[in-house]
Amino acid sequence: FGKTAEYVAESVLKGTRVSVTGKLSQSSWEDKDTGKNRSKVEIIADDVAISLKWGTALFSKAERS
């Protein structure tokens, strides 16, 4: 997931409220062991931001590589 994932990992602690912008992706399949239908929904994130509704944040621009 590239630089966005790296920045999130460096900036966000467990329990921090965030806002995510992106696309939903749904997958369906049949479980090989049980034969039951399974599905999942994932967010393909374009942007992640710390929510300022519950606190403040400091921003520092990352250097381009």
Side-chain angles (χ1 to χ4, degrees), residues 16-20 48-59:
T16 303
R17 291 179 183 240
V18 297
S19 298
V20 178
V48 179
I50 295 173
S51 174
L52 297 178
K53 184 175 183 179
W54 305 102
T56 62
L58 297 173
F59 175 80

Side-chain angles (χ1 to χ4, degrees), residues 1-45:
F1 294 94
K3 287 289 184 190
T4 300
E6 291 177 27
Y7 295 148
V8 169
E10 292 175 15
S11 305
V12 179
L13 300 174
K14 183 177 180 178
T16 303
R17 291 179 183 240
V18 297
S19 298
V20 178
T21 304
K23 301 170 206 66
L24 291 178
S25 172
Q26 183 175 7
S27 304
S28 299
W29 68 95
E30 185 177 299
D31 188 296
K32 292 179 185 178
D33 298 326
T34 64
K36 292 184 179 180
N37 291 330
R38 303 288 311 250
S39 66
K40 68 177 178 179
V41 176
E42 297 176 304
I43 299 173
I44 309 303

